[in-house]
Amino acid sequence: MRIGVIGGGQLGRMLAEAGAGFDARFTFLDPSESACAAVHGRHIQADWNDTAALEQLLAASDAITFEFENVSSDVVAMLAEQRPAYPPARALATARDRWSEKSLFRSLDIPLPPVAKIDSQADLDAAVADIGLPAVLKTRTLGYDGKGQKVLRQAGDVTDAFAELGNVPLVLEGFIDFDHEVSVVAVRGRDGETRVWPLVRNEHRQGMLHCSVPQIDHPLQAQAEDYANRVLAELDYVGVMAFEFFVQGETLLANEIAPRVHNSGHWTIEGAETSQFENHLRAVCGLPLGSTARLAPCAMLNVIGALPERDAVLAVPGTRWHDYGKAPRPGRKIGHITVLASSDAQLQERLNAVEQLLTNDLG
Ligand code: AMP
């Protein structure tokens, strides 16, 4: 099968690695000359909305997917008229706009932080009076890894905040004093079959994911799956989707969805019976989905900004090394390390050992 992927970063690279067993051939559309997925396929170096490049991608593909959210949903809708193209354009349109995303949660009775739509400083002043401080101001589109966000703690932070974030459409969210953050990664096939991986506990640093640990028998697993299934069914979704939540006591509050394979699902490459990348491909191509069971205690650590000494990491038992082949730059995700163990205690020991070796530079 021939798969066209919009985007050629590490997610595309790992999709292609998962496709090797299916003899899948990949073509990546990415404007960067150093797109790191290109080692595994053909690279069309052009903008996401370059008509001639999209024609080339169509000609080279039996099915099309995307590995990031900067592409417009109109492009995906256009491609879907000519080839199976998943996830659906509507899911992308919803996830690209924080207000649409939160409106979807509300319409499906999924709890979420207090939120208001902000189109002016006057809207912001009114929302702060309503929601209170602290609160988090976020751009409605194109935000990621904590970028395009500002935490408002006191009245002085509010004064020019609309202009400070660029006079663009925003949302204001109540600041949630959460116990911790979790995500679930789920996959839905073309026939509507859905599978969900174990809930993952995530630790962020400076808004970027640092560590993901899949949990077995987490008390909120069923609740998270229920919310995920509501969204997947409503969007008639096909492919992998990630759902991020804040945990407060017994409650899950929805933060955001990502209509693609997700960083908090990288542990599945070695830690689950079927990885998120393989199941995404299976879904997009209409193949039966694989089991999402966890195989062993495991965790994933992101490598950001600088690679640690590889041989020292590999000397820690149970580690798996993923270098994306990207030039190191502060704040850039350039790899990840999966740590596998035979018990939770052993996992913690190994994680501590690897953490000490990390030289992450968050910028
Ligand atoms: P986001 O890009 O919305 O996922 O935000 C990135 C990170 O910022 C989240 O994973 C949280 O750690 C933090 N964050 C975002 N929104 C809130 C909020 N409403 N309350 C507290 N922390 C937040």
Side-chain angles (χ1 to χ4, degrees):
M1 53 201 175
R2 301 176 310 151
I3 313 287
V5 185
I6 301 176
Q10 65 264 23
L11 301 177
R13 181 175 167 122
M14 289 184 273
L15 269 180
E17 285 161 5
F22 297 94
D23 194 30
R25 305 299 158 104
F26 286 80
T27 302
F28 302 97
L29 172 62
D30 192 305
S32 165
E33 68 175 344
S34 58
C36 73
V39 291
H40 292 317
R42 178 175 158 208
H43 177 197
I44 301 171
Q45 192 189 339
D47 257 7
W48 328 111
N49 46 10
D50 178 318
T51 314
L54 290 168
E55 286 300 332
Q56 278 182 50
L57 187 70
L58 279 168
S61 310
D62 303 315
I64 291 184
T65 189
F66 51 88
E67 57 106 74
F68 82 159
E69 290 149 66
N70 286 1
V71 59
S72 106
S73 57
D74 292 343
V75 166
V76 175
M78 183 277 284
L79 295 171
E81 285 171 12
Q82 303 191 54
R83 293 283 185 285
Y86 302 113
R90 183 176 156 222
L92 177 61
T94 305
R96 269 167 59 91
D97 180 337
R98 289 188 192 270
W99 182 250
S100 309
E101 180 179 58
K102 284 156 201 310
S103 304
L104 177 72
F105 297 151
R106 266 212 284 244
S107 73
L108 297 172
D109 282 328
I110 298 172
L112 72 165
V115 62
K117 182 166 169 273
I118 309 293
D119 289 316
S120 65
Q121 184 65 37
D123 284 352
L124 178 58
D125 294 337
V128 168
D130 187 28
I131 291 174
L133 295 179
V136 190
L137 195 57
K138 302 180 179 180
T139 54
R140 269 177 65 174
T141 58
L142 300 178
Y144 69 99
D145 285 347
K147 294 177 179 64
Q149 300 195 11
K150 184 174 165 45
V151 179
L152 308 178
R153 297 191 185 280
Q154 52 214 18
D157 297 338
V158 182
T159 315
D160 291 317
F162 186 72
E164 278 168 34
L165 281 182
N167 294 306
V168 294
L170 305 171
V171 295
L172 183 75
E173 288 175 29
F175 186 90
I176 305 301
D177 189 15
F178 51 76
D179 304 334
H180 56 271
E181 293 181 80
V182 295
S183 59
V184 277
V185 180
V187 60
R188 188 168 183 269
R190 287 197 200 173
D191 59 0
E193 185 195 1
T194 300
R195 305 246 182 157
V196 187
W197 282 268
L199 198 133
V200 174
R201 184 167 170 158
N202 297 316
E203 187 195 328
H204 290 82
R205 294 195 180 159
Q206 292 184 29
M208 295 181 80
L209 184 63
H210 169 65
C211 180
S212 289
V213 187
Q215 312 283 306
I216 295 300
D217 297 331
H218 192 286
L220 294 171
Q221 177 83 31
Q223 201 180 110
E225 286 193 19
D226 174 26
Y227 296 156
N229 282 324
R230 290 184 208 180
V231 172
L232 293 171
E234 169 63 27
L235 295 173
D236 196 14
Y237 196 80
V238 175
V240 162
M241 180 180 262
F243 302 76
E244 295 187 67
F245 298 98
F246 302 127
V247 177
Q248 257 192 328
E250 305 291 292
T251 307
L252 284 175
L253 294 174
N255 175 26
E256 63 179 3
I257 52 175
R260 54 174 168 77
V261 287
H262 192 255
N263 197 169
S264 70
H266 291 359
W267 65 272
T268 61
I269 296 174
E270 297 93 357
E273 213 158 295
T274 315
S275 79
Q276 61 165 346
F277 300 100
E278 180 172 336
N279 260 344
H280 183 72
L281 289 176
R282 291 195 194 196
V284 166
C285 297
L287 306 178
L289 302 179
S291 160
T292 49
R294 192 192 75 164
L295 294 171
C298 61
M300 188 251 12
L301 287 164
N302 263 340
V303 172
I304 299 169
L307 283 178
E309 205 202 313
R310 182 191 58 199
D311 294 7
V313 170
L314 292 179
V316 178
T319 54
R320 297 288 191 281
W321 177 259
H322 294 264
D323 175 350
Y324 304 150
K326 291 164 71 173
R329 205 188 302 138
R332 191 175 203 207
K333 292 176 183 171
I334 55 171
H336 75 266
I337 297 161
T338 309
V339 183
L340 297 142
S342 54
S343 69
D344 288 341
Q346 189 184 57
L347 177 65
Q348 198 52 56
E349 266 173 38
R350 292 177 174 184
L351 265 179
N352 292 345
V354 175
E355 286 247 22
Q356 301 216 329
L357 297 168
L358 288 183
T359 47
N360 282 353
D361 178 353
L362 303 183

PDB file of all heavy atoms in Angstrom, residues 98 113 136 138 143-147 149 173-178 181 204 207-208 244 246 255-256, ligand 1:
ATOM      1  N   ARG A  98      -9.363  25.873  19.521  1.00  0.00           N
ATOM      2  CA  ARG A  98      -9.660  25.509  20.913  1.00  0.00           C
ATOM      3  C   ARG A  98     -11.109  25.780  21.288  1.00  0.00           C
ATOM      4  O   ARG A  98     -11.670  25.078  22.133  1.00  0.00           O
ATOM      5  CB  ARG A  98      -8.738  26.266  21.876  1.00  0.00           C
ATOM      6  CG  ARG A  98      -7.300  25.800  21.838  1.00  0.00           C
ATOM      7  CD  ARG A  98      -6.514  26.458  22.964  1.00  0.00           C
ATOM      8  NE  ARG A  98      -5.083  26.282  22.816  1.00  0.00           N
ATOM      9  CZ  ARG A  98      -4.394  25.261  23.314  1.00  0.00           C
ATOM     10  NH1 ARG A  98      -4.998  24.312  23.984  1.00  0.00           N
ATOM     11  NH2 ARG A  98      -3.082  25.195  23.144  1.00  0.00           N
ATOM     12  N   PRO A 113     -12.518  22.605  32.075  1.00  0.00           N
ATOM     13  CA  PRO A 113     -12.331  23.809  32.901  1.00  0.00           C
ATOM     14  C   PRO A 113     -13.278  24.919  32.437  1.00  0.00           C
ATOM     15  O   PRO A 113     -13.706  24.917  31.278  1.00  0.00           O
ATOM     16  CB  PRO A 113     -10.878  24.210  32.615  1.00  0.00           C
ATOM     17  CG  PRO A 113     -10.220  22.990  32.058  1.00  0.00           C
ATOM     18  CD  PRO A 113     -11.289  22.219  31.352  1.00  0.00           C
ATOM     19  N   VAL A 136      -5.703  30.921  32.392  1.00  0.00           N
ATOM     20  CA  VAL A 136      -4.743  30.715  31.303  1.00  0.00           C
ATOM     21  C   VAL A 136      -5.356  31.226  30.007  1.00  0.00           C
ATOM     22  O   VAL A 136      -6.462  30.821  29.635  1.00  0.00           O
ATOM     23  CB  VAL A 136      -4.387  29.218  31.129  1.00  0.00           C
ATOM     24  CG1 VAL A 136      -3.212  29.063  30.163  1.00  0.00           C
ATOM     25  CG2 VAL A 136      -4.060  28.575  32.461  1.00  0.00           C
ATOM     26  N   LYS A 138      -5.098  31.439  26.005  1.00  0.00           N
ATOM     27  CA  LYS A 138      -4.474  30.630  24.948  1.00  0.00           C
ATOM     28  C   LYS A 138      -4.961  31.089  23.586  1.00  0.00           C
ATOM     29  O   LYS A 138      -6.142  31.426  23.430  1.00  0.00           O
ATOM     30  CB  LYS A 138      -4.864  29.146  25.099  1.00  0.00           C
ATOM     31  CG  LYS A 138      -4.497  28.518  26.428  1.00  0.00           C
ATOM     32  CD  LYS A 138      -4.930  27.046  26.461  1.00  0.00           C
ATOM     33  CE  LYS A 138      -4.557  26.394  27.778  1.00  0.00           C
ATOM     34  NZ  LYS A 138      -4.968  24.978  27.852  1.00  0.00           N
ATOM     35  N   GLY A 143      -1.565  26.811  18.597  1.00  0.00           N
ATOM     36  CA  GLY A 143      -0.786  26.693  19.826  1.00  0.00           C
ATOM     37  C   GLY A 143      -0.334  25.251  19.992  1.00  0.00           C
ATOM     38  O   GLY A 143      -1.034  24.331  19.587  1.00  0.00           O
ATOM     39  N   TYR A 144       0.846  25.024  20.567  1.00  0.00           N
ATOM     40  CA  TYR A 144       1.269  23.651  20.870  1.00  0.00           C
ATOM     41  C   TYR A 144       2.359  23.722  21.926  1.00  0.00           C
ATOM     42  O   TYR A 144       3.035  24.738  22.071  1.00  0.00           O
ATOM     43  CB  TYR A 144       1.787  22.926  19.613  1.00  0.00           C
ATOM     44  CG  TYR A 144       3.097  23.468  19.106  1.00  0.00           C
ATOM     45  CD1 TYR A 144       4.300  22.841  19.391  1.00  0.00           C
ATOM     46  CD2 TYR A 144       3.140  24.644  18.373  1.00  0.00           C
ATOM     47  CE1 TYR A 144       5.502  23.351  18.945  1.00  0.00           C
ATOM     48  CE2 TYR A 144       4.333  25.168  17.937  1.00  0.00           C
ATOM     49  CZ  TYR A 144       5.510  24.516  18.218  1.00  0.00           C
ATOM     50  OH  TYR A 144       6.705  25.041  17.801  1.00  0.00           O
ATOM     51  N   ASP A 145       2.490  22.614  22.681  1.00  0.00           N
ATOM     52  CA  ASP A 145       3.547  22.514  23.694  1.00  0.00           C
ATOM     53  C   ASP A 145       3.623  23.764  24.562  1.00  0.00           C
ATOM     54  O   ASP A 145       4.711  24.261  24.874  1.00  0.00           O
ATOM     55  CB  ASP A 145       4.917  22.277  23.032  1.00  0.00           C
ATOM     56  CG  ASP A 145       5.061  20.851  22.524  1.00  0.00           C
ATOM     57  OD1 ASP A 145       4.228  20.005  22.899  1.00  0.00           O
ATOM     58  OD2 ASP A 145       6.010  20.597  21.763  1.00  0.00           O
ATOM     59  N   GLY A 146       2.476  24.301  24.929  1.00  0.00           N
ATOM     60  CA  GLY A 146       2.476  25.458  25.832  1.00  0.00           C
ATOM     61  C   GLY A 146       2.789  26.776  25.146  1.00  0.00           C
ATOM     62  O   GLY A 146       2.852  27.825  25.789  1.00  0.00           O
ATOM     63  N   LYS A 147       3.002  26.742  23.797  1.00  0.00           N
ATOM     64  CA  LYS A 147       3.284  27.998  23.097  1.00  0.00           C
ATOM     65  C   LYS A 147       1.963  28.701  22.785  1.00  0.00           C
ATOM     66  O   LYS A 147       0.930  28.057  22.648  1.00  0.00           O
ATOM     67  CB  LYS A 147       4.087  27.725  21.836  1.00  0.00           C
ATOM     68  CG  LYS A 147       5.461  27.197  22.213  1.00  0.00           C
ATOM     69  CD  LYS A 147       6.348  26.817  21.076  1.00  0.00           C
ATOM     70  CE  LYS A 147       7.688  26.322  21.586  1.00  0.00           C
ATOM     71  NZ  LYS A 147       7.586  25.067  22.384  1.00  0.00           N
ATOM     72  N   GLN A 149       0.520  30.790  24.876  1.00  0.00           N
ATOM     73  CA  GLN A 149      -0.243  30.774  26.135  1.00  0.00           C
ATOM     74  C   GLN A 149       0.364  31.747  27.126  1.00  0.00           C
ATOM     75  O   GLN A 149       1.559  31.992  27.097  1.00  0.00           O
ATOM     76  CB  GLN A 149      -0.174  29.403  26.806  1.00  0.00           C
ATOM     77  CG  GLN A 149      -0.706  28.294  25.979  1.00  0.00           C
ATOM     78  CD  GLN A 149      -0.957  27.044  26.797  1.00  0.00           C
ATOM     79  OE1 GLN A 149      -0.912  27.069  28.014  1.00  0.00           O
ATOM     80  NE2 GLN A 149      -1.239  25.964  26.116  1.00  0.00           N
ATOM     81  N   GLU A 173      -9.140  30.183  30.009  1.00  0.00           N
ATOM     82  CA  GLU A 173      -9.541  29.021  30.810  1.00  0.00           C
ATOM     83  C   GLU A 173      -9.225  29.284  32.271  1.00  0.00           C
ATOM     84  O   GLU A 173      -8.177  29.870  32.584  1.00  0.00           O
ATOM     85  CB  GLU A 173      -8.713  27.787  30.420  1.00  0.00           C
ATOM     86  CG  GLU A 173      -9.041  27.181  29.096  1.00  0.00           C
ATOM     87  CD  GLU A 173      -8.073  26.040  28.771  1.00  0.00           C
ATOM     88  OE1 GLU A 173      -7.557  25.375  29.700  1.00  0.00           O
ATOM     89  OE2 GLU A 173      -7.822  25.854  27.587  1.00  0.00           O
ATOM     90  N   GLY A 174     -10.077  28.806  33.145  1.00  0.00           N
ATOM     91  CA  GLY A 174      -9.736  28.828  34.561  1.00  0.00           C
ATOM     92  C   GLY A 174      -8.481  28.003  34.783  1.00  0.00           C
ATOM     93  O   GLY A 174      -8.281  26.976  34.124  1.00  0.00           O
ATOM     94  N   PHE A 175      -7.596  28.462  35.677  1.00  0.00           N
ATOM     95  CA  PHE A 175      -6.376  27.700  35.976  1.00  0.00           C
ATOM     96  C   PHE A 175      -6.752  26.541  36.892  1.00  0.00           C
ATOM     97  O   PHE A 175      -7.333  26.735  37.952  1.00  0.00           O
ATOM     98  CB  PHE A 175      -5.342  28.602  36.668  1.00  0.00           C
ATOM     99  CG  PHE A 175      -4.022  27.929  36.865  1.00  0.00           C
ATOM    100  CD1 PHE A 175      -3.031  28.011  35.900  1.00  0.00           C
ATOM    101  CD2 PHE A 175      -3.763  27.184  38.014  1.00  0.00           C
ATOM    102  CE1 PHE A 175      -1.814  27.372  36.064  1.00  0.00           C
ATOM    103  CE2 PHE A 175      -2.549  26.538  38.193  1.00  0.00           C
ATOM    104  CZ  PHE A 175      -1.574  26.638  37.212  1.00  0.00           C
ATOM    105  N   ILE A 176      -6.446  25.340  36.453  1.00  0.00           N
ATOM    106  CA  ILE A 176      -6.828  24.143  37.207  1.00  0.00           C
ATOM    107  C   ILE A 176      -5.660  23.693  38.082  1.00  0.00           C
ATOM    108  O   ILE A 176      -4.570  23.418  37.572  1.00  0.00           O
ATOM    109  CB  ILE A 176      -7.239  22.991  36.248  1.00  0.00           C
ATOM    110  CG1 ILE A 176      -8.353  23.449  35.304  1.00  0.00           C
ATOM    111  CG2 ILE A 176      -7.657  21.763  37.044  1.00  0.00           C
ATOM    112  CD1 ILE A 176      -9.620  23.913  35.988  1.00  0.00           C
ATOM    113  N   ASP A 177      -5.901  23.646  39.375  1.00  0.00           N
ATOM    114  CA  ASP A 177      -4.876  23.179  40.307  1.00  0.00           C
ATOM    115  C   ASP A 177      -4.972  21.650  40.336  1.00  0.00           C
ATOM    116  O   ASP A 177      -5.451  21.066  41.302  1.00  0.00           O
ATOM    117  CB  ASP A 177      -5.160  23.806  41.677  1.00  0.00           C
ATOM    118  CG  ASP A 177      -4.017  23.552  42.630  1.00  0.00           C
ATOM    119  OD1 ASP A 177      -2.935  23.155  42.155  1.00  0.00           O
ATOM    120  OD2 ASP A 177      -4.227  23.721  43.846  1.00  0.00           O
ATOM    121  N   PHE A 178      -4.515  21.030  39.247  1.00  0.00           N
ATOM    122  CA  PHE A 178      -4.753  19.588  39.082  1.00  0.00           C
ATOM    123  C   PHE A 178      -3.820  18.751  39.945  1.00  0.00           C
ATOM    124  O   PHE A 178      -2.749  19.209  40.340  1.00  0.00           O
ATOM    125  CB  PHE A 178      -4.646  19.180  37.614  1.00  0.00           C
ATOM    126  CG  PHE A 178      -3.390  19.638  36.912  1.00  0.00           C
ATOM    127  CD1 PHE A 178      -2.179  19.021  37.119  1.00  0.00           C
ATOM    128  CD2 PHE A 178      -3.442  20.700  35.992  1.00  0.00           C
ATOM    129  CE1 PHE A 178      -1.034  19.431  36.455  1.00  0.00           C
ATOM    130  CE2 PHE A 178      -2.294  21.120  35.322  1.00  0.00           C
ATOM    131  CZ  PHE A 178      -1.089  20.486  35.565  1.00  0.00           C
ATOM    132  N   GLU A 181      -1.705  15.110  35.346  1.00  0.00           N
ATOM    133  CA  GLU A 181      -2.283  15.098  33.997  1.00  0.00           C
ATOM    134  C   GLU A 181      -2.235  13.684  33.440  1.00  0.00           C
ATOM    135  O   GLU A 181      -1.272  12.946  33.681  1.00  0.00           O
ATOM    136  CB  GLU A 181      -1.510  16.045  33.076  1.00  0.00           C
ATOM    137  CG  GLU A 181      -1.682  17.497  33.475  1.00  0.00           C
ATOM    138  CD  GLU A 181      -0.934  18.425  32.536  1.00  0.00           C
ATOM    139  OE1 GLU A 181      -1.441  18.711  31.438  1.00  0.00           O
ATOM    140  OE2 GLU A 181       0.155  18.871  32.904  1.00  0.00           O
ATOM    141  N   HIS A 204       4.582  17.250  32.604  1.00  0.00           N
ATOM    142  CA  HIS A 204       5.041  18.293  31.677  1.00  0.00           C
ATOM    143  C   HIS A 204       6.066  19.181  32.370  1.00  0.00           C
ATOM    144  O   HIS A 204       5.991  19.398  33.575  1.00  0.00           O
ATOM    145  CB  HIS A 204       3.865  19.158  31.209  1.00  0.00           C
ATOM    146  CG  HIS A 204       2.922  18.440  30.298  1.00  0.00           C
ATOM    147  ND1 HIS A 204       1.928  17.610  30.763  1.00  0.00           N
ATOM    148  CD2 HIS A 204       2.813  18.412  28.946  1.00  0.00           C
ATOM    149  CE1 HIS A 204       1.254  17.104  29.741  1.00  0.00           C
ATOM    150  NE2 HIS A 204       1.778  17.574  28.625  1.00  0.00           N
ATOM    151  N   GLY A 207       5.414  23.339  29.931  1.00  0.00           N
ATOM    152  CA  GLY A 207       4.363  23.117  28.937  1.00  0.00           C
ATOM    153  C   GLY A 207       4.667  21.982  27.971  1.00  0.00           C
ATOM    154  O   GLY A 207       3.838  21.632  27.149  1.00  0.00           O
ATOM    155  N   MET A 208       5.887  21.400  28.062  1.00  0.00           N
ATOM    156  CA  MET A 208       6.244  20.299  27.144  1.00  0.00           C
ATOM    157  C   MET A 208       6.222  18.978  27.893  1.00  0.00           C
ATOM    158  O   MET A 208       6.640  18.905  29.050  1.00  0.00           O
ATOM    159  CB  MET A 208       7.647  20.509  26.573  1.00  0.00           C
ATOM    160  CG  MET A 208       7.773  21.723  25.689  1.00  0.00           C
ATOM    161  SD  MET A 208       9.457  21.842  25.070  1.00  0.00           S
ATOM    162  CE  MET A 208       9.396  20.659  23.748  1.00  0.00           C
ATOM    163  N   GLU A 244      -6.247  14.595  26.174  1.00  0.00           N
ATOM    164  CA  GLU A 244      -5.517  15.012  27.373  1.00  0.00           C
ATOM    165  C   GLU A 244      -6.492  15.525  28.417  1.00  0.00           C
ATOM    166  O   GLU A 244      -7.393  16.301  28.094  1.00  0.00           O
ATOM    167  CB  GLU A 244      -4.517  16.109  27.023  1.00  0.00           C
ATOM    168  CG  GLU A 244      -3.417  15.627  26.099  1.00  0.00           C
ATOM    169  CD  GLU A 244      -2.333  16.681  25.897  1.00  0.00           C
ATOM    170  OE1 GLU A 244      -1.618  16.991  26.855  1.00  0.00           O
ATOM    171  OE2 GLU A 244      -2.245  17.211  24.783  1.00  0.00           O
ATOM    172  N   PHE A 246      -6.989  16.822  32.747  1.00  0.00           N
ATOM    173  CA  PHE A 246      -6.487  17.147  34.079  1.00  0.00           C
ATOM    174  C   PHE A 246      -7.237  16.248  35.064  1.00  0.00           C
ATOM    175  O   PHE A 246      -8.452  16.067  34.929  1.00  0.00           O
ATOM    176  CB  PHE A 246      -6.785  18.604  34.441  1.00  0.00           C
ATOM    177  CG  PHE A 246      -6.209  19.608  33.473  1.00  0.00           C
ATOM    178  CD1 PHE A 246      -7.018  20.575  32.891  1.00  0.00           C
ATOM    179  CD2 PHE A 246      -4.862  19.589  33.154  1.00  0.00           C
ATOM    180  CE1 PHE A 246      -6.498  21.501  32.002  1.00  0.00           C
ATOM    181  CE2 PHE A 246      -4.327  20.515  32.254  1.00  0.00           C
ATOM    182  CZ  PHE A 246      -5.149  21.477  31.685  1.00  0.00           C
ATOM    183  N   ASN A 255      -8.807  18.609  28.590  1.00  0.00           N
ATOM    184  CA  ASN A 255      -7.970  19.742  28.192  1.00  0.00           C
ATOM    185  C   ASN A 255      -7.981  19.876  26.677  1.00  0.00           C
ATOM    186  O   ASN A 255      -8.470  20.857  26.143  1.00  0.00           O
ATOM    187  CB  ASN A 255      -6.541  19.567  28.730  1.00  0.00           C
ATOM    188  CG  ASN A 255      -5.606  20.667  28.239  1.00  0.00           C
ATOM    189  OD1 ASN A 255      -6.058  21.770  27.928  1.00  0.00           O
ATOM    190  ND2 ASN A 255      -4.327  20.368  28.150  1.00  0.00           N
ATOM    191  N   GLU A 256      -7.455  18.859  25.987  1.00  0.00           N
ATOM    192  CA  GLU A 256      -7.482  18.978  24.530  1.00  0.00           C
ATOM    193  C   GLU A 256      -7.423  17.622  23.850  1.00  0.00           C
ATOM    194  O   GLU A 256      -7.097  16.611  24.464  1.00  0.00           O
ATOM    195  CB  GLU A 256      -6.373  19.893  24.019  1.00  0.00           C
ATOM    196  CG  GLU A 256      -4.973  19.426  24.295  1.00  0.00           C
ATOM    197  CD  GLU A 256      -3.942  20.402  23.733  1.00  0.00           C
ATOM    198  OE1 GLU A 256      -4.309  21.457  23.196  1.00  0.00           O
ATOM    199  OE2 GLU A 256      -2.740  20.084  23.835  1.00  0.00           O
TER     200      GLU A 256
HETATM  201  P1  AMP B   1      -2.041  22.779  26.313  1.00  0.00           P
HETATM  202  O1  AMP B   1      -1.225  23.251  25.159  1.00  0.00           O
HETATM  203  O2  AMP B   1      -3.367  23.422  26.399  1.00  0.00           O
HETATM  204  O3  AMP B   1      -2.099  21.286  26.429  1.00  0.00           O
HETATM  205  O4  AMP B   1      -1.230  23.252  27.635  1.00  0.00           O
HETATM  206  C1  AMP B   1       0.087  22.788  27.896  1.00  0.00           C
HETATM  207  C2  AMP B   1       0.241  22.519  29.392  1.00  0.00           C
HETATM  208  O5  AMP B   1      -0.023  23.734  30.145  1.00  0.00           O
HETATM  209  C3  AMP B   1      -0.764  21.505  29.939  1.00  0.00           C
HETATM  210  O6  AMP B   1      -0.335  20.195  29.706  1.00  0.00           O
HETATM  211  C4  AMP B   1      -0.767  21.895  31.410  1.00  0.00           C
HETATM  212  O7  AMP B   1       0.376  21.406  32.072  1.00  0.00           O
HETATM  213  C5  AMP B   1      -0.702  23.417  31.366  1.00  0.00           C
HETATM  214  N1  AMP B   1      -2.076  23.972  31.333  1.00  0.00           N
HETATM  215  C6  AMP B   1      -2.807  24.218  30.223  1.00  0.00           C
HETATM  216  N2  AMP B   1      -4.037  24.678  30.527  1.00  0.00           N
HETATM  217  C7  AMP B   1      -4.108  24.733  31.864  1.00  0.00           C
HETATM  218  C8  AMP B   1      -5.130  25.105  32.808  1.00  0.00           C
HETATM  219  N3  AMP B   1      -6.338  25.542  32.400  1.00  0.00           N
HETATM  220  N4  AMP B   1      -4.853  24.995  34.121  1.00  0.00           N
HETATM  221  C9  AMP B   1      -3.627  24.554  34.549  1.00  0.00           C
HETATM  222  N5  AMP B   1      -2.622  24.203  33.717  1.00  0.00           N
HETATM  223  C10 AMP B   1      -2.848  24.274  32.396  1.00  0.00           C
END
